[in-house]
Amino acid sequence: MTSEFFPVLQGIRQGGIISTWIYNLFINGLLDSLERRPNKIERTDKIRHVGIQLNDKMTDNDKISVACKKAESSFYSLLSINIGTFYINPLTSASLDSKMCTPKLLFGAELWNNLTKSNCMQLERFIRMAAKTIQRFPILTQTDICLAMLGWKRIVSEINLRKLLFLERLCNMPTSVLTKQIFNKRLALFSCRTDKCIQKGFVPDIIRILSKC
């Protein structure tokens, strides 16, 4: 059975396959309009944009805390299915988790930067808890074993993979797209700097990831 089609009049589907492309189409026209705007835009220290909390200090503490809470809420909703005599196979639960919880946990992870050890551990705790709970393993079970049996990666590896995939999409964009032009300017600015630690954002992070390859 299939439901009837209905129009989406606002926003994009979180975790959807084409959501990033729809966002790129939207943001390109928005930036063009802002460039032609005669009045200056008022400065603010933080703003919520397409569900992501941004701030002028380029920190991700608030974003990660909110993401963990959303993912935990979805996970416990999924976990409630296993209550009673009806029990879902761990691989099926892991597949549902990757479709319901992980997109909420890592929504916007492509743009996270300067993650601290505390940030990574906060995200890692959720992945460890989910892997052990799904398989009904004791809490002291070795994490590597729990993740390997489900085919899951460490959270830092998953974030880096998403950043690399985002880089691929940026590289394949035509140069006429404003998003690609901004990326090229940021990359050129980073290349010209003598002190690489000053610049923050996606470019320094992707350079760090590529240098490990």
Side-chain angles (χ1 to χ4, degrees):
M1 295 179 63
T2 57
S3 60
E4 297 181 357
F5 287 96
F6 60 90
V8 178
L9 304 178
Q10 183 177 2
I12 55 177
R13 181 176 179 268
Q14 182 170 329
I17 297 175
I18 65 170
S19 295
T20 54
W21 291 102
I22 296 175
Y23 169 75
N24 286 334
L25 291 172
F26 164 77
I27 199 65
N28 190 56
L30 176 62
L31 292 175
D32 283 337
S33 300
L34 292 176
E35 283 187 340
R36 295 191 296 266
R37 186 186 178 103
N39 301 324
K40 293 184 178 180
I41 302 175
E42 294 183 3
R43 180 180 174 84
T44 181
D45 58 348
K46 61 181 179 179
I47 189 172
R48 181 174 294 278
H49 183 56
V50 292
I52 302 175
Q53 187 73 34
L54 306 174
N55 61 59
D56 58 349
K57 296 180 181 178
M58 299 291 286
T59 58
D60 298 307
N61 296 334
D62 294 339
K63 286 181 278 188
I64 291 173
S65 297
V66 171
C68 287
K69 289 179 182 179
K70 289 182 178 180
E72 287 176 3
S73 176
S74 296
F75 179 75
Y76 287 121
S77 297
L78 174 63
L79 197 64
S80 65
I81 301 175
N82 292 336
I83 296 176
T85 57
F86 183 64
Y87 175 67
I88 296 180
N89 183 286
L91 293 178
T92 303
S93 296
S95 177
L96 292 172
D97 178 272
S98 65
K99 294 176 174 63
M100 295 174 57
C101 306
T102 304
K104 293 185 177 181
L105 181 69
L106 298 179
F107 180 69
E110 297 86 348
L111 302 179
W112 291 351
N113 59 86
N114 304 313
L115 292 180
T116 64
K117 290 183 179 180
S118 176
N119 295 147
C120 295
M121 183 53 65
Q122 188 176 2
L123 295 165
E124 189 71 32
R125 284 195 195 101
F126 171 79
I127 294 296
R128 294 178 182 181
M129 179 272 294
K132 294 176 183 180
T133 303
I134 284 173
Q135 300 174 90
R136 298 193 174 183
F137 285 161
I139 193 66
L140 296 179
T141 307
Q142 189 172 343
T143 300
D144 292 338
I145 296 175
C146 298
L147 297 179
M149 292 188 70
L150 296 177
W152 287 2
K153 305 179 185 68
R154 290 274 187 175
I155 196 66
V156 174
S157 300
E158 187 66 37
I159 293 173
N160 289 344
L161 176 61
R162 289 171 179 254
K163 287 178 180 289
L164 290 172
L165 292 174
F166 185 59
L167 174 65
E168 179 189 17
R169 293 196 294 269
L170 283 173
C171 293
N172 290 332
M173 285 182 184
T175 53
S176 58
V177 178
L178 188 57
T179 308
K180 178 67 172 290
Q181 296 173 13
I182 293 174
F183 171 71
N184 288 339
K185 289 180 180 179
R186 295 284 294 176
L187 182 60
L189 179 63
F190 181 82
S191 301
C192 295
R193 285 188 182 277
T194 55
D195 186 358
K196 306 294 186 183
C197 298
I198 296 177
Q199 186 170 337
K200 298 179 180 180
F202 175 76
V203 172
D205 268 8
I206 204 67
I207 295 295
R208 175 185 53 79
I209 295 170
L210 291 174
S211 65
K212 294 181 179 180
C213 298

